[in-house]
Amino acid sequence: MFLTQTVPRQREIIEVLLRNGWDYMRRLLTGGKADEPQLPPPAVLKNILVALGPVYVKLGQLLSTRPDLLSAAYIEELSTLQDEVPPVPWSEIEILIRQQLKRPLEETFITLNPIPVAAGSIAQTHRATLADGREAALKVQRPGIDLTVAQDIALIQGIADLVARTEFGQTYEIKSTAEEFTKALEAELDFTLEAGFTDQLRHNLSQSRWYDTTKIVVAEIYWDLTTPKLLVMEWLDGVPILSAKFDGDNVERREITTLLFRVFFQQLYIDGFFHADPHPGNLFYLKEGRIALLDCGMVGRLDPRTQQILTQMLLAIVDLDGRRCAQLTLELSDSTQPVILSRLENDYDRMLRKYVNANLAEINFSQVIYEILQIARNNKIRLPSNMGLYAKTLANLEGLARGFNPELNFIDEIQPLLTDLFRRQLIGDNPLRSLLRTGLDLKSLSLQSPRYIELLLDRVTSETLQWNLSLQGLDGLRRTTDDAANRLSFSILVGSLIMGAAIISSNAQTSQLSFLSNVLFATASLLGLWLIISILRSGRLR
């Protein structure tokens, strides 16, 4: 039980939470009444995560990809978390490298720089020269980080168990979110997974008709030296893309901007496997106008159905179509809770109406997507977790592109890509194959149709055919039909009374017949007057 443990790490976490004044956690940890959770302000939450250490910084970075859980203020604050910590001394790193190598270090490398080029919470990177003369980057896991991660994962799961007892925790499935985070963190400790992601991305991006594949570079993995704790890959010599210098005109900047959009749109909408962290530090400018994509540890996946829905969502945003956005959101949803469609459509219409008179070139599309996800959250619609990674990837891409090229026109960049994507959805990559598949489907239908028709006719003639129809919204129609039938019956009755009274009156030879005629006229008049009043009161005279 989380509250009964007394390990030093737990006490440290509790002290940080209490010291930063998170009243809700104070009540929760001291056994008080746990009402609806109240998160600390965004800046305070960020400070708590930084004080708790590298694992919780990773947690904050994961939460920054979940606009379906947190509001825009939290997403913006947590997105600034930096995964940089002081490097581990070379003496400890050298021991770990020697343990991971199959041959002595001196036989494997000609040179190995003990000063890291980068240091993070999980690993740090060194530059080296292999025995065959190739330049390499060594990503080395921090010694003992696996034990720290295991401790913190247990504590995070304990906190999730507590929060899961609240309505908030049940609504947003906090335990599932915590489990998702722990799996992602455990995966980061196995560098062979990142190596596999890098190879897959390298293979995918080497084939495209949207851009020159020689312009995009993903490092080659040296598998003979790579282990779960040591990742050895090709050294790419360049500078962060925002630090690159260009001569005078902006032609090359525009070309690189177009290249970036096409590279990432292929990942998102064609391959369904994408680099989920395209911040400026992970994109390097190399010689001859080439762009290198670094650090493939965080990736996302989209299935074909989701790709198709998201493509249509982009078009709905361009058209400012709130109703279509609502329909597509429900198609994406994996929630079983009932949704008030009219309210969802109104929320989207209200949000998109802000952009009616705006220049489409100036609209921040990633912000619109964030707002769409937050409206879904406000309407208790649960979306797949990869939607957060998708939105964050688009946000990082658009932010990077605008910082790199202030003249960016988002519509001009995506319009030809959307056209091609819709064409691919209609006829596929191979029109002939699509035509043949359609022909086979038609042949199968033509062969099976006679059997189905025979079965249908057999059931009709044997009176065993049953129709199970469930039509909603017919109660109002039924009541309206009943009212109309009743009024028609009254009208016929009133007309009959008047005609009968007229016939009797014209042939009346006694006082009794005259009296009956007057009674019939009076009755018809009263019923007619009542019918007129009821029609006027219903407001349906027309």
Side-chain angles (χ1 to χ4, degrees), residues 100 141 188-193 226-231:
Q100 300 300 308
Q141 193 171 118
E188 285 202 44
L189 295 178
D190 186 352
F191 288 169
T192 59
L193 291 177
T226 293
T227 70
K229 294 188 176 184
L230 177 65
L231 176 58

Side-chain angles (χ1 to χ4, degrees), residues 21-34:
W22 189 357
D23 292 336
Y24 170 73
M25 288 305 297
R26 186 194 305 275
R27 293 195 303 272
L28 202 60
L29 293 170
T30 56
K33 184 180 179 182

Side-chain angles (χ1 to χ4, degrees), residues 9-48:
R9 181 58 172 159
Q10 179 194 329
R11 289 198 298 270
E12 179 185 349
I13 291 174
I14 293 175
E15 288 173 3
V16 170
L17 294 176
L18 298 181
R19 185 170 63 247
N20 283 273
W22 189 357
D23 292 336
Y24 170 73
M25 288 305 297
R26 186 194 305 275
R27 293 195 303 272
L28 202 60
L29 293 170
T30 56
K33 184 180 179 182
D35 298 322
E36 187 69 15
Q38 295 178 346
L39 287 175
V44 174
L45 178 59
K46 176 184 174 182
N47 291 339
I48 289 174

Side-chain angles (χ1 to χ4, degrees), residues 194-204 218-221 223:
E194 180 179 340
F197 296 154
T198 305
D199 263 4
Q200 183 175 349
L201 197 62
R202 187 165 174 262
H203 170 74
N204 290 350
V218 179
E220 179 184 354
I221 300 297
W223 282 100

Side-chain angles (χ1 to χ4, degrees), residues 3 6 8 17 34 54 101 111 130 164 182 189 228 236 311 323 335 342 373 395 409 421 436 502 513 524 541:
L3 291 175
T6 57
L17 294 176
L101 294 175
T111 62
L130 301 182
T182 56
L189 295 178
L236 298 175
T311 303
R323 175 173 296 181
S335 177
S342 59
L373 295 182
N409 187 320
L421 286 172
L436 291 175
L513 289 178
L541 183 60

